[in-house]
Amino acid sequence: NEGNEYFREKDYRRAVIAYTEGLKKSCEDPELNAVLHTNRGAAQFYLGNYRSALSDAIQAKKLKPTHLKAIIRGALCHMELKNFSEAIAWCEEGLRIDSKEKKLVEMRAKADKLKLEETLLEVRTDFSAHWQSRAVMGTDLLCERNIKLVLEPSNEEEEISDGLAEISLDGFHSDNATGAKVHLDADGNLNWPVLFLYPEHEQTDFIAAFHENSRFIDHLMVMFAELPPWDLERKYLPSNLELYFEDEERAEMYELNPEHTLLQVLRHQRYFVKAGTPTVLAFVKHSPFSKKYFSGKKVHRL
């Protein structure tokens, strides 16, 4: 009670001391101890002691696995510590207890988005560092395919002209981010890591080895053979999807033909491969979200 009073007064340091004194009593009531750990964790959180707060959330969850306040606090700590994968895991654990808990739903979406941004940044950073430190190879492979590669994202980003790009096939990836790299198979064909983005739900799919002569529709049929759990409205059917890529330089969108192969898309005059990972965006046809998303944008349709 003393700790709660200090907490209401926003005297978090004294609240931590009070809750600690309560825990020292070694009460045999696990629920009360779970509350003490959760409350102390909340006070530690507001003091900026995120690791201590996380430790309390872990202890509270051990004492009472269904204690939502502890789970929410643990997820918040992981967010502050930029442990987005762990934050997602905590959110999912809480949502299994209460699937409509607003804080967890919102945090799960935010963690997914931040994790994706972090992944893309790591891929691009690792590739840039690798390219600068190793011998460059594979120029002919891209030249003959007329594939254009952007080596490093920046405000003054420049394209590699005339379809030429310099690419190291030995290390065109980040082990920590995707664990995949573009590689040449025994038949002389390239297999690319490809990222699918679903902006409406802030979800992603990652294909580690997309054969350059494979069609997009073939992968969609596999990916959506079963509807994903986040598709609550059951809209993401292969026949109901439209695919696009973005020309960031011109701020324009291009629709893809799902019957086309990856190589046909990569050869498009306005497609530039960033950080060694081709990216496409998927939308439900004629959905309110897609109409809003494309509002005000120039879109080149099939």
Side-chain angles (χ1 to χ4, degrees):
N1 290 339
E2 184 179 288
N4 290 346
E5 188 63 34
Y6 284 132
F7 194 94
R8 281 191 288 270
E9 294 172 0
K10 297 185 179 181
D11 190 343
Y12 301 120
R13 186 183 62 82
R14 288 185 177 176
V16 168
I17 294 172
Y19 293 133
T20 301
E21 288 299 315
L23 286 165
K24 285 181 180 179
K25 298 299 180 183
S26 300
C27 172
E28 294 183 1
D29 182 349
E31 185 147 348
L32 178 55
N33 286 329
V35 171
L36 284 167
H37 275 293
T38 301
N39 290 1
R40 186 173 71 174
Q44 293 279 26
F45 183 88
Y46 285 112
L47 289 170
N49 300 330
Y50 303 123
R51 295 193 183 280
S52 296
L54 177 59
S55 178
D56 270 319
I58 292 170
Q59 291 301 318
K61 190 156 67 79
K62 285 181 180 178
L63 291 164
K64 187 180 179 183
T66 59
H67 195 21
L68 269 181
K69 284 188 177 180
I71 293 172
I72 292 171
R73 183 63 56 195
L76 284 167
C77 290
H78 279 302
M79 289 292 287
E80 292 294 335
L81 294 168
K82 302 190 185 304
N83 301 330
F84 302 124
S85 295
E86 289 83 354
I88 290 169
W90 278 64
C91 287
E92 289 179 344
E93 186 174 351
L95 290 170
R96 285 194 290 271
I97 299 169
D98 182 355
S99 62
K100 296 181 180 179
E101 170 53 55
K102 186 178 179 182
K103 288 182 180 178
L104 290 173
V105 171
E106 292 176 351
M107 203 184 326
R108 173 70 164 81
K110 184 178 180 181
D112 269 327
K113 182 179 179 181
L114 292 173
K115 182 184 176 185
L116 174 59
E117 291 174 355
E118 183 182 65
T119 295
L120 293 176
L121 179 61
E122 287 177 359
V123 171
R124 291 171 181 173
T125 301
D126 285 4
F127 173 69
S128 176
H130 181 84
W131 174 79
Q132 293 172 12
S133 64
R134 295 182 63 101
V136 175
M137 55 186 292
T139 306
D140 292 342
L141 292 172
L142 296 187
C143 179
E144 66 187 25
R145 288 167 170 78
N146 195 28
I147 295 174
K148 297 164 287 297
L149 183 74
V150 176
L151 292 176
E152 185 177 5
S154 71
N155 294 331
E156 300 176 353
E157 194 170 45
E158 295 184 0
E159 307 156 1
I160 298 176
S161 60
D162 302 322
L164 293 173
E166 295 178 320
I167 153 181
S168 170
L169 292 177
D170 181 53
F172 203 23
H173 72 298
S174 163
D175 288 326
N176 292 331
T178 64
K181 59 183 177 180
V182 61
H183 64 274
L184 197 66
D185 63 23
D187 298 321
N189 298 306
L190 289 177
N191 291 265
W192 293 82
V194 175
L195 189 64
F196 284 78
L197 307 179
Y198 310 108
E200 182 173 359
H201 296 279
E202 296 182 337
Q203 297 288 333
T204 64
D205 271 322
F206 182 75
I207 298 176
F210 195 130
H211 191 286
E212 62 182 351
N213 292 323
S214 292
R215 302 181 306 167
F216 281 88
I217 187 62
D218 296 328
H219 284 281
L220 290 177
M221 294 295 288
V222 173
M223 290 190 292
F224 293 99
E226 295 183 6
L227 292 175
W230 45 263
D231 181 19
L232 300 179
E233 297 180 33
R234 305 180 67 79
K235 299 185 298 184
Y236 280 72
L237 303 169
S239 60
N240 201 30
L241 297 179
E242 292 178 335
L243 301 180
Y244 295 83
F245 72 83
E246 186 172 7
D247 181 349
E248 293 184 7
E249 181 183 318
R250 296 182 179 178
E252 297 176 355
M253 304 290 293
Y254 288 81
E255 185 178 1
L256 311 183
N257 185 340
E259 299 288 337
H260 280 175
T261 65
L262 175 61
L263 182 57
Q264 286 177 293
V265 173
L266 296 184
R267 282 175 169 167
H268 191 284
Q269 60 180 353
R270 295 306 306 169
Y271 198 101
F272 299 91
V273 179
K274 285 192 172 183
T277 306
T279 302
V280 296
L281 295 89
F283 300 86
V284 174
K285 293 178 181 177
H286 312 303
S287 68
F289 178 87
S290 67
K291 290 178 181 178
K292 183 178 179 181
Y293 188 92
F294 293 122
S295 176
K297 295 182 180 180
K298 185 172 182 180
V299 182
H300 301 271
R301 299 190 180 275
L302 294 173

